[in-house]
Amino acid sequence: MGRRRAPELYRAPFPLYALQVDPSTGLLIAAGGGGAAKTGIKNGVHFLQLERINGRLSASLLHSHDTETRATMNLALAGDILAAGQDAHCQLLRFQAHQQKGNKAEKAGSKEQGPRQRKGAAPAEKKCGAETQHEGLELRVENLQAVQTDFSSDPLQKVVCFNHDNTLLATGGTDGYVRVWKVPSLEKVLEFKAHEGEIEDLALGPDGKLVTVGRDLKASVWQKNQLVTQLHWQENGPTFSSTPYRYQACSESGTFLGLGTVTGSVAIYIAFSLQCLYYVREAHGIVVTDVAFLPEKGRGPELLGSHETALFSVAVDSRCQLHLLPSRRSVPVWLLLLLCVGLIVVTILLLQSAFPGFL
């Protein structure tokens, strides 16, 4: 038997580093690029329209947003606002998608706009405020505020996230500082040194606490800039060798954990037991740079169909792959209760026949 392969959902004209899925519109947002080097590789954010065609999930390019000389390395989504980490900066984007009305859709379809290019024509890169129309769906993307978020000698923003009500944005990078900004003005409200090395991940909690994970193998919980508690893995945990896992995602309900590895493999686990339900070895053949689950709300269930969950993965090979987990067979609760009652009745009858007068 040949090696198990995941279906390729989309191939971009540049390396892909970041991925988000908008639950309300069902848009898959993939970003990356070749950076500032003059290699001819473009930089951009691609908005893909997810659809079910003949019972299968497919993606088509709806809008290509040009980021000029800046490759997008990380993304965070809050409603219609996208926070993109580009080199040492954070760029806010606002996108709006809506259905066209009447003859407007027919006229737009005849003008070869957006991804509908004539043979041999180069795809049009959309600038700030550009608008793309595609089979009745209209998407407009505009640049909002941008701010420098990292100030090391080799500055790079490595992670970005919104708080629960999307009013604040937290960033972390190679200088080890956490910076918190108001949305959408990007006015800085907090700055403190969290780690001696690079910040690998962070999260803002609804109670105002902030969790950070650093390259120094420390995980810290902060109340503003005050340390609440800290885990130092080398002191509090077992020794370990280099782990192959690079990027991970958790499903909305917390049921599933998706993992991507430095060797290109992709896996889906049950979050509470870490039972492996799905694994494709070297699905990409090169480092997986981001993974994201299809949302369980909005258009998610409609796009998911009969499957239990869907995981998207992107890598430096410019490909976006789809990983579908088939629905697991389960016994209905009512049937289990009926079987239990039946076993109790049979047991009583056997005892009555073996020991007359038992009841």
Side-chain angles (χ1 to χ4, degrees), residues 92-338:
L92 293 187
L93 303 171
R94 174 175 279 123
F95 64 95
Q96 295 175 319
H98 56 272
Q99 294 290 333
Q100 301 178 65
K101 297 181 180 179
N103 295 330
K104 187 178 179 180
E106 298 175 7
K107 291 178 182 179
S110 66
K111 291 182 180 180
E112 299 289 341
Q113 297 189 31
R116 292 179 166 271
Q117 300 290 330
R118 293 185 177 89
K119 187 176 181 180
E125 295 290 341
K126 303 297 173 181
K127 304 296 183 181
C128 172
E131 189 172 287
T132 300
Q133 297 163 346
H134 177 69
E135 296 183 353
L137 189 65
E138 193 173 75
L139 184 71
R140 180 176 177 82
V141 181
E142 60 177 324
N143 289 330
L144 300 178
Q145 301 293 327
V147 67
Q148 184 171 350
T149 61
D150 194 84
F151 296 89
S152 64
S153 56
D154 187 16
L156 177 66
Q157 178 182 298
K158 298 200 67 175
V159 62
V160 58
C161 72
F162 289 94
N163 68 341
H164 71 288
D165 60 1
N166 302 331
T167 58
L168 295 174
L169 177 75
T171 60
T174 55
D175 64 1
Y177 277 81
V178 169
R179 296 176 175 90
V180 181
W181 317 82
K182 288 184 179 179
V183 178
S185 66
L186 292 186
E187 175 189 346
K188 185 164 60 179
V189 296
L190 183 64
E191 177 182 21
F192 64 93
K193 181 79 170 180
H195 294 273
E196 291 305 317
E198 302 177 4
I199 294 178
E200 294 291 338
D201 204 359
L202 57 81
L204 282 167
D207 57 353
K209 289 188 175 68
L210 192 146
V211 181
T212 62
V213 178
R215 182 67 65 89
D216 55 6
L217 301 181
K218 293 179 181 179
S220 305
V221 179
W222 307 86
Q223 185 71 54
K224 293 187 176 180
N225 60 349
Q226 299 299 311
L227 182 64
V228 176
T229 186
Q230 186 178 77
L231 169 69
H232 191 178
W233 185 262
Q234 290 180 326
E235 295 176 356
N236 307 107
T239 58
F240 62 95
S241 59
S242 58
T243 173
Y245 294 116
R246 183 173 176 87
Y247 287 96
Q248 65 283 329
C250 191
S251 62
E252 258 183 328
S253 62
T255 305
F256 301 108
L257 182 68
L259 297 173
T261 76
V262 295
T263 58
S265 302
V266 178
I268 300 175
Y269 290 81
I270 295 178
F272 69 89
S273 65
L274 293 183
Q275 176 189 350
C276 185
L277 301 177
Y278 175 98
Y279 179 76
V280 180
R281 181 184 176 189
E282 297 179 0
H284 288 273
I286 196 170
V287 57
V288 176
T289 50
D290 206 358
V291 290
F293 279 99
L294 183 68
E296 298 169 358
K297 299 177 182 178
R299 292 198 62 212
E302 168 198 339
L303 295 169
L304 191 59
S306 60
H307 293 88
E308 192 161 359
T309 191
L311 180 72
F312 303 99
S313 64
V314 293
V316 183
D317 61 4
S318 306
R319 293 184 298 162
C320 176
Q321 291 186 348
L322 172 65
H323 308 272
L324 291 168
L325 181 66
S327 295
R328 293 167 290 168
R329 294 182 179 180
S330 59
V331 180
V333 176
W334 65 266
L335 183 57
L336 288 174
L337 293 174
L338 187 61

Side-chain angles (χ1 to χ4, degrees), residues 38-101:
K38 297 180 180 179
T39 58
I41 301 176
K42 294 183 177 181
N43 303 288
V45 180
H46 281 190
F47 294 79
L48 310 175
Q49 184 176 10
L50 293 174
E51 299 174 290
R52 288 194 68 83
I53 300 177
N54 297 326
R56 300 182 65 180
L57 192 61
S58 66
S60 57
L61 179 61
L62 176 63
H63 181 90
S64 176
H65 182 77
D66 183 19
T67 57
E68 300 175 352
T69 61
R70 304 178 304 277
T72 299
M73 306 300 292
N74 42 81
L75 289 173
L77 182 64
D80 62 351
I81 293 182
L82 197 65
Q86 299 170 352
D87 299 329
H89 295 76
C90 182
Q91 172 71 61
L92 293 187
L93 303 171
R94 174 175 279 123
F95 64 95
Q96 295 175 319
H98 56 272
Q99 294 290 333
Q100 301 178 65
K101 297 181 180 179

